[in-house]
Amino acid sequence: MTSPNSPNSSRRSFLKNTGQLLIGFNLLPLTFCQSKSEILDGGISSGSQVRSSMGSDIIDSWIRLDAEGKVTVLTGKMELGQGIRTALMQMAAEELDVNMDIVTIINGDTGQTADEGYTAGSGTIERSGASIRKAAAEAKFFMVNMASEKWDESPENLSVKNGLIQSKNGKHKISYWELLDGKFLEGKVTGNAPLKNPKDHTLVGKGILREDIRKMAQGEAFFVHDLRLPEMVHARVLRPPSYGSILIDLDKESVLALPGVLKLVVDGRFIAVIAKREYQAIKALEFLKSAAKWQTEPLSPQQADLFSEMKKKSLPPQQVEEAKHINTIIGNSPQILEATYLRPYQMHASAGPSCAVAEWKDGKLTVWTPTQGVYPLRSTLSDFLGIDTKDIRCIGLPGSGCYGHNGADDVSADAAFIARSFPGKPVRVQWMREDEHAWEPYGSAMLLKLKAGLDASGKITGWDCGIWSDTHSTRPGGKAGHFIAARHLEKPFEFQPGGFSGGSYRNSSPLYNIPSKNIVLHNYKGPLRTSALRGLGAYGNIFALESFMDELANLAAIDPFEFRIKNLDNPRAIEVIKTLKSKCNWENRDQSGRVGYGLAFAQYKNSASYFAVVAEIHKSPTGGKFRLHKLTGVIDSGQCINPDGLKNQTEGGMIQSASWTIMEAVQYDANGITSKDWNSYPIMRTNDVPEVEVHIIDRPKEKPLGAGEAAQGPVAAAIVNALSSLLDKRVYELPLKDYFV
Amino acid sequence: MIEKIKLLINDKKREFEVDLEEPLLYILREDANLYGPKYGCGMGQCGACMVLVDGRAQPSCLLTCGNLHEAKIKTIEGLAKNGNPHPLQEAFFEVQAAQCGYCLNGMLISAVSLLEENPSPSISEIKEALNRVLCRCGTHSRFIKAVQLASEKSQNA
Ligand code: FES
Ligand code: FES
């Protein structure tokens, strides 16, 4: 495909032939960056000619213009199904003044993109988006100034449309590409380039459709799972029956005799089999399962004792927020309330088990990976395999939705380790369903203890919160012990927890205007592997906080909307709640007693999107059980880049949280995890999903705020509040499955 | 046992030498070079691997090749007619029915199978037809909408 913006074709082929290529602002060739689809068709070479990011202050690290008249956006962040590719391309095209159809994007590749750490905490649009936007504005600024010098016209007299610079008097016009004319130009992000006024936006704020959805619907290769490379072989890993199992015996010979089996990799209790065909690897795995004898160390405490142990065996408390004399303040209040809330271990449970492909060639490693962070993965692989980071390239490709730290990094480590023992051929590893269910790191169980006082007018006087939780982040960040594979070797890498992160107390501090807040965290090392699950501790904390707010409203005998507004002075928070009240038609709600409504609100991290939601629950005509009928949400994410994308992600978060809240808890016994498939860990399916409705408050003049995790906590509390309004008691423990049909 | 089997895949005659116990899913992905059907559980629980067998949606992870001789298989790659995408493919794009998209194959195949049999299904019939396919991103409401849209369009066509 060529665009009318391209320089003339002989020049283009000259550039290609010499490997010297027209680009926007920096040195090296660009056409060597294969597109994703070429990669998926197996067309990737060693990739060495791809040029790497030269630092985030260089325009070229974010925006490149090429000989084909196209624009390439680069981001260190990964597409996880949240639609960031489209949103980031929109932001770039907007500032650069080009049409969307000439823009492409490259996500997370240590060979090309800037180091942006992890794609997490709903920070992509806030951070990567801001960098791309600035770089695009800078590129345009630079080129408009070039044209202005060339024509001796002041920049104010020039305008740009789809990459074509024109003088207002109609005398001159030139495209970006003609202007650059194959020259290398270096430009830094100076911050001097003006950003567009939001009122002039033509792309940002529009529900531009995700083209990748069209591709997926036609069955085009898209996922890392679909990657096919020449001579690729297939591997499966036999995991021990439980975390602490020790290998006693393994019949290696008979496995090697199975059809298609190429190699058995055994190191300590890391066992993998490589075969020619995928199905042969699976058959060999099944065989290995019966051929391996293990001794298993029982998991403790047992599930029934988890919460009592959590309170008994936690580490010394850590003060998160301090209010001196909190006991007196609450004790002196006219009304006092106290409650304890419990959430279980829950899993990411990705629809597609994690998959990665790795190739070890001439001492260099390439890994095609669905990780959320190509750079942290690379440094951790470097520690694991004892090779320099410069000999490792991690290329990010979309995986199945991960919602946090699932098996993506572990499977990448599996593939890398196996590939090293089988050099020269790409090795594809996909986890089996049971591997993903039993070995992914779960969202930690939590115990939340709240106490508060109310004054006579219904204002909260003081808030006292205790949190008991295991860590919410064990993502690999350079230490191999974070990989399962590394821990299972003969000479194991020790898992060194990086300290308990702030994830546990995320959103524990109410946004409400409360004069005295005291928050204490009790870290607890629990029996199961845990890490970041969408929202981290915010899910449990908001479930507790917003359930408690509902109880306080009841105690004060004030309408739940009014009670929250009364205790807030953040205007955006108030507006979200008020908008929801009218959108869900609160005043005219069904008060027959057959329908229950519950409200909840939070600003994610107290700094990202504002989200309020009402859950509507119906009593089923028979059997005294309930059905979640509808969720209505209102979200304020500041400047909205793509309203349809924001809605899609928020709807998804709402349904996912409803599923966690009503149905999900990881089960285990002394011998290990027993939630090993979709029957033993059921999630919500189409028959049970509620109707979802999302309204956006767009604030074009505010900065965009992360939205991906905004719904998780509030939806839980809203459902509990709705349920409690129909029962004559309050429910304090998740999940709620006993109450629902 | 390794034997030759004949299949009609997306209207093309194909022959494979396979282990008769091997599920169709792996033949499609590895030998027929198709990307649509995906592995999700291998146990018939999730529907990621759905294909049309003689027009009906079935999980390909459970169909062993030995039982499939001369069967007519369709995957989402074969839905387009004369170069035009299937109305359901259009509808999925139009309502942006995907987040990560891993489940999309199963949803789409189930929807095609449903509309073949029942061109104007009710919401609960749509839900029932998609219930076998599991979506972790919570895109269900959009899948339902996409099926409604395609069905309406074909009624008005
Ligand atoms: S992979 Fe076939 S139903 Fe799950
Ligand atoms: S869209 Fe991700 S699993 Fe359905």
Side-chain angles (χ1 to χ4, degrees), chain A residues 626-643:
Chain A
F626 303 91
R627 195 177 266 287
L628 177 59
H629 182 73
K630 186 172 181 185
L631 294 169
T632 310
V634 174
I635 188 160
D636 168 357
S637 301
Q639 179 186 59
C640 172
I641 307 298
N642 186 327

Side-chain angles (χ1 to χ4, degrees), chain B residues 25 38-49 59-62:
Chain B
L25 173 65
K38 306 241 175 319
Y39 170 81
C41 68
M43 294 176 279
Q45 297 175 343
C46 76
C49 60
S60 64
C61 70
L62 293 182

Side-chain angles (χ1 to χ4, degrees), chain A residues 20-35:
Chain A
Q20 179 89 321
L21 179 67
L22 170 66
I23 51 155
F25 289 92
N26 228 310
L27 308 171
L28 306 160
L30 184 80
T31 44
F32 298 104
C33 311
Q34 279 98 342
S35 70

Side-chain angles (χ1 to χ4, degrees), chain A residues 149-439:
Chain A
E149 270 167 38
K150 187 181 171 96
W151 300 328
D152 198 18
E153 291 269 5
S154 112
E156 286 82 70
N157 294 332
L158 305 181
S159 67
V160 184
K161 209 173 165 209
N162 195 21
L164 191 70
I165 309 174
Q166 300 189 57
S167 61
K168 291 207 175 124
N169 57 21
K171 272 205 287 197
H172 310 283
K173 61 173 141 190
I174 191 166
S175 80
Y176 288 163
W177 293 265
E178 289 162 334
L179 183 66
L180 293 168
D181 194 29
K183 284 194 288 291
F184 299 131
L185 297 169
E186 276 194 68
K188 284 208 169 189
V189 182
T190 59
N192 294 337
L195 291 180
K196 264 194 187 172
N197 187 327
K199 75 171 174 24
D200 299 328
H201 283 170
T202 58
L203 293 169
V204 162
K206 297 270 166 346
I208 304 234
L209 302 185
R210 280 175 56 187
E211 281 295 325
D212 52 358
I213 295 181
R214 189 199 299 277
K215 288 193 187 150
M216 288 181 214
Q218 292 172 359
E220 276 181 41
F222 179 79
F223 297 94
V224 64
H225 305 71
D226 302 330
L227 180 65
R228 275 167 213 150
L229 299 172
E231 293 194 87
M232 187 170 85
V233 294
H234 295 267
R236 286 293 181 282
V237 180
L238 174 72
R239 295 279 181 228
S242 185
Y243 300 126
S245 307
I246 295 174
L247 183 65
I248 304 296
D249 186 38
L250 179 68
D251 170 9
K252 294 181 192 167
E253 294 312 309
S254 344
V255 182
L256 289 169
L258 295 175
V261 169
L262 300 168
K263 186 166 183 170
L264 190 62
V265 181
V266 183
D267 187 334
R269 52 198 186 114
F270 180 87
I271 304 168
V273 59
I274 308 173
K276 262 200 208 127
R277 291 178 58 80
E278 181 162 23
Y279 181 63
Q280 291 168 333
I282 294 172
K283 288 283 271 194
L285 175 69
E286 273 164 26
F287 182 89
L288 274 172
K289 248 188 219 170
S290 53
K293 302 278 169 284
W294 303 89
Q295 194 180 336
T296 288
E297 198 168 298
L299 277 182
S300 153
Q302 285 295 285
Q303 211 169 338
D305 306 325
L306 177 69
F307 291 108
S308 60
E309 283 279 310
M310 202 180 242
K311 285 193 85 172
K312 267 187 254 156
K313 303 236 168 99
S314 57
L315 302 172
Q318 175 189 336
Q319 193 80 40
V320 177
E321 212 172 314
E322 189 166 10
K324 296 239 158 60
H325 318 298
I326 187 70
N327 284 331
T328 328
I329 294 164
I330 295 177
N332 290 340
S333 307
Q335 304 206 73
I336 299 169
L337 191 67
E338 204 174 336
T340 299
Y341 301 87
L342 307 173
R343 77 164 270 203
Y345 288 106
Q346 285 152 330
M347 63 170 88
H348 305 78
S350 294
S354 297
C355 177
V357 180
E359 185 177 33
W360 183 277
K361 217 179 206 162
D362 310 322
K364 292 200 196 308
L365 174 70
T366 308
V367 187
W368 291 266
T369 166
T371 179
Q372 285 185 274
V374 281
Y375 282 93
L377 174 66
R378 185 176 70 162
S379 64
T380 317
L381 286 173
S382 151
D383 186 46
F384 181 24
L385 303 173
I387 56 172
D388 205 286
T389 51
K390 74 172 182 353
D391 293 328
I392 305 174
R393 177 165 174 208
C394 295
I395 302 174
L397 288 176
S400 180
C402 61
Y403 333 105
H405 178 192
N406 67 346
D409 292 306
D410 286 302
V411 79
S412 306
D414 290 343
F417 189 78
I418 299 167
R420 185 170 63 174
S421 75
F422 201 74
K425 290 200 175 149
V427 181
R428 178 185 186 271
V429 182
Q430 180 162 12
W431 280 10
M432 302 303 286
R433 170 48 51 202
E434 114 179 64
D435 300 331
E436 191 75 35
H437 265 58
W439 285 91

